[in-house]
Amino acid sequence: MGPLQGIKVIEIAGLGPAPVCGMLLADMGAEVILIQRKSRGTANITDAVTNSKYAIPNRGKKSIALDLKDPSAVEIVLDLIADADALIEGFRPGVMERLGLGPDICMVKNPRLLYGRMTGWGQHGPLAQAAGHDINYIALSGALYYSGHRREAPFAPPSLVGDVGGGSMVLTMGILAGIINAKATGKGQVIDAAITDGSALMTSLLYSFHQAGSWSKERGDNIIDSASPWYDTYECADGHYITLGSLEPQFYSLLLEKCGLSDDPVFANQFNKSDWPQAKDKIITLFKSRTRAEWCELMEGTDVCFAPVLDFDEAAAHPHNRERETFVELNGVVQPAPAPKFSVTPSTISSAPPQEGEHTEAILKSAGYKCDHIDMLRTREVI
């Protein structure tokens, strides 16, 4: 149904941003074959998010389980790659080469293959072989620095800025661009998607402010990093929070009107930073005087640029999200729906997350393997 119908992607199972990239492609109609490591029957702390109905990033994919330490399993992967458009892997540099599945070998099998490599630090550089996680990558790229209040430690939403924003989204864009190029030229290529690079790219607008001299190096000292009274989060009387983003003068004027502050001289000059601390104190006190629901009744849906801060359950139940079907429920699991929305070729969740190896036999048969060969591979515990 989706715009990527007819595109085939091989994903080597892993954690973090690579599976989300595969999910985005599957949501848009690509056939994504997930190659999972054949388990040894032992429980793992990551099982709940990699091999169960809660493994949301695996939705819409088909699973084949292989013992990748066996040369026969490597041959199976190469056979599947032969007619694929793209491959996704998220290991440290060199791991795929040691498995016998590096880009040189795979692209001999399929010269038009897009070989997508997702790492934190990139395929080369002084840190390329070091371990790391989202928080480390966005720290090095500069994306973490301005996330926080004045004289407080920086903080960021877990895994969103780096793993998903600078990782999954950037790799997905790279694969789609590469597929277009490969269809025109017949030539594939390697995509080196480093989260440090991707999260640095996401700071482009802030770099514009910084290079123009209108953004100071002090955290919590700028117009949209919590310094101003009209762009921040505020606690309400019931302990819930709301957000303001009244950046433009007309929206700021409406905010003052709604709050009864139009005649207060402290708020007369929106961009006078010397007034911000006193104005901030007044706004803090004001928002603590009513509940979140009361502020929503007064401001939500207006041009104040306002929204309540919702937890996951509240977000799924909000009328706006319900009408747009921003969240869906599949097999009792509430999850974000595919995005963006297409008018002609709608994205959809074609199936629930597969169990490990659920489609092994079907995938092998579609690749031309005969029943006796499949039985032999099963006997040898390759599959």
Side-chain angles (χ1 to χ4, degrees):
M1 290 291 292
L4 294 183
Q5 189 171 13
I7 297 297
K8 180 179 178 180
V9 178
I10 306 300
E11 177 188 330
I12 310 299
L15 292 173
V20 173
C21 173
M23 179 193 74
L24 296 173
L25 298 172
D27 285 350
M28 290 188 282
E31 178 189 13
V32 179
I33 295 177
L34 180 64
I35 298 177
Q36 296 185 291
R37 297 272 185 128
K38 191 168 177 288
S39 70
R40 303 299 179 183
T42 55
N44 191 298
I45 193 171
T46 62
D47 283 350
V49 293
T50 59
N51 192 31
S52 76
K53 70 176 184 178
Y54 303 108
I56 294 171
N58 286 344
R59 69 191 189 192
K61 302 175 184 178
K62 299 174 182 177
S63 170
I64 178 172
L66 301 172
D67 179 3
L68 290 178
K69 293 182 179 180
D70 191 301
S72 296
V74 174
E75 287 301 318
I76 291 172
V77 177
L78 291 173
D79 287 339
L80 296 176
I81 286 171
D83 66 345
D85 295 281
L87 176 143
I88 301 170
E89 63 96 355
F91 301 119
R92 290 197 211 190
V95 171
M96 288 291 283
E97 284 83 353
R98 290 192 292 273
L99 288 171
L101 292 168
D104 291 345
I105 294 174
C106 291
M107 295 176 76
V108 167
K109 190 76 171 181
N110 180 354
R112 65 180 183 84
L113 182 72
L114 273 299
Y115 196 104
R117 316 200 77 168
M118 170 63 67
T119 59
W121 310 110
Q123 294 298 312
H124 62 86
L127 299 175
Q129 289 296 331
H133 281 297
D134 175 284
I135 194 170
N136 311 123
Y137 310 139
I138 66 175
L140 194 76
S141 72
L144 179 62
Y145 184 82
Y146 285 108
S147 183
H149 294 92
R150 187 192 299 263
R151 291 184 291 276
E152 292 183 5
F155 63 89
S159 83
L160 298 182
V161 176
D163 284 354
V164 176
S168 308
M169 297 295 185
V170 172
L171 178 57
T172 302
M173 177 181 65
I175 287 174
L176 296 178
I179 288 175
I180 292 172
N181 181 261
K183 287 188 177 296
T185 65
K187 295 181 180 179
Q189 55 188 305
V190 177
I191 303 170
D192 178 1
I195 297 172
T196 47
D197 297 345
S199 58
L201 179 65
M202 292 173 63
T203 68
S204 297
L205 178 59
L206 296 184
Y207 261 90
S208 294
F209 285 119
H210 175 68
Q211 293 295 308
S214 57
W215 193 272
S216 81
K217 285 190 175 182
E218 185 173 356
R219 188 178 307 109
D221 190 49
N222 301 286
I223 57 173
I224 57 172
D225 70 348
S226 79
S228 69
W230 36 264
Y231 202 103
D232 204 354
T233 59
Y234 292 100
E235 185 178 3
C236 303
D238 52 3
H240 292 299
Y241 290 82
I242 58 90
T243 62
L244 293 180
S246 311
L247 173 61
E248 290 79 5
Q250 68 271 28
F251 303 152
Y252 178 68
S253 178
L254 181 60
L255 170 67
L256 298 185
E257 178 186 326
K258 293 283 186 181
C259 291
L261 298 170
S262 299
D263 297 326
D264 191 324
V266 174
F267 294 91
N269 189 341
Q270 179 181 2
F271 294 99
N272 183 2
K273 291 180 70 172
S274 64
D275 288 336
W276 286 359
Q278 187 178 356
K280 190 92 165 184
D281 289 341
K282 290 189 175 185
I283 287 284
I284 289 172
T285 301
L286 178 65
F287 277 104
K288 280 188 175 180
S289 69
R290 302 185 191 181
T291 66
R292 184 181 68 180
E294 290 173 318
W295 288 117
C296 285
E297 184 177 356
L298 179 65
M299 295 186 178
E300 193 168 20
T302 74
D303 279 355
V304 165
C305 299
F306 168 97
V309 178
L310 305 180
D311 63 29
F312 281 6
D313 294 331
E314 291 171 328
H318 191 278
H320 181 81
N321 294 332
R322 288 173 66 90
E323 181 174 326
R324 288 190 53 80
E325 297 181 329
T326 303
F327 297 88
V328 296
E329 185 174 330
L330 183 65
N331 290 354
V333 179
V334 176
Q335 57 199 277
K341 301 183 186 299
F342 293 85
S343 63
V344 178
T345 55
S347 298
T348 186
I349 303 173
S350 60
S351 61
Q355 291 297 306
E356 179 189 285
E358 181 178 333
H359 307 97
T360 297
E361 186 168 332
I363 290 170
L364 290 175
K365 286 181 177 178
S366 69
Y369 284 70
K370 304 301 183 184
C371 290
D372 57 348
H373 193 176
I374 295 173
D375 290 340
M376 181 270 291
L377 293 170
R378 186 176 289 110
T379 299
R380 289 180 45 202
E381 297 187 341
V382 175
I383 61 175

